[in-house]
């Protein structure tokens, strides 16, 4: 799943923690790991493709929240990557 954070500068630390299965550390950083199929609307991708994008995460049955994630974390509705 995608690692998304409330602050873009926490992404790298949260990705390392997620790869180490340190869920408590991911949450402590203000981040979450989403599953596939969670709708996200890109609200700011002014950074280069490798940089973080701001998205509006739209989980089913929960309020929308603004988060940050790397472009490589997102796919189109058809499953294609959104970046080269």
């Amino acid at each position: 799943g995608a690692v998304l954070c409330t602050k873009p500068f926490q992404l790298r630390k949260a990705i390392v923690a997620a790869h180490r299965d340190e869920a408590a550390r991911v949450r402590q950083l203000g981040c979450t790991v989403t599953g596939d199929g969670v709708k996200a609307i890109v609200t700011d991708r002014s950074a280069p493709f490798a940089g973080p994008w701001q998205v509006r995460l739209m989980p089913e049955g929960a309020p929308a929240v603004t988060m940050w994630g790397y472009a490589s974390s997102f796919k189109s509705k058809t499953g294609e990557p959104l970046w080269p």
Side-chain angles (χ1 to χ4, degrees):
V3 176
L4 303 174
C5 297
T6 56
K7 307 273 190 256
F9 59 85
Q10 299 291 25
L11 279 166
R12 291 183 193 263
K13 293 179 220 170
I15 289 168
V16 169
H19 284 294
R20 293 180 179 166
D21 289 326
E22 297 173 351
R25 175 73 175 140
V26 172
R27 286 189 305 275
Q28 179 186 32
L29 292 167
C31 304
T32 188
V33 179
T34 65
D36 289 342
V38 176
K39 182 179 178 180
I41 299 170
V42 177
T43 57
D44 180 4
R45 61 176 184 194
S46 57
F49 280 117
W53 288 0
Q54 184 182 52
V55 299
R56 190 81 173 143
L57 192 64
M58 313 289 280
E60 218 172 288
V65 62
T66 300
M67 305 285 282
W68 291 84
Y70 286 114
S72 58
S73 298
F74 305 107
K75 295 178 185 173
S76 71
K77 289 181 182 180
T78 61
E80 297 296 317
L82 295 177
W83 67 292

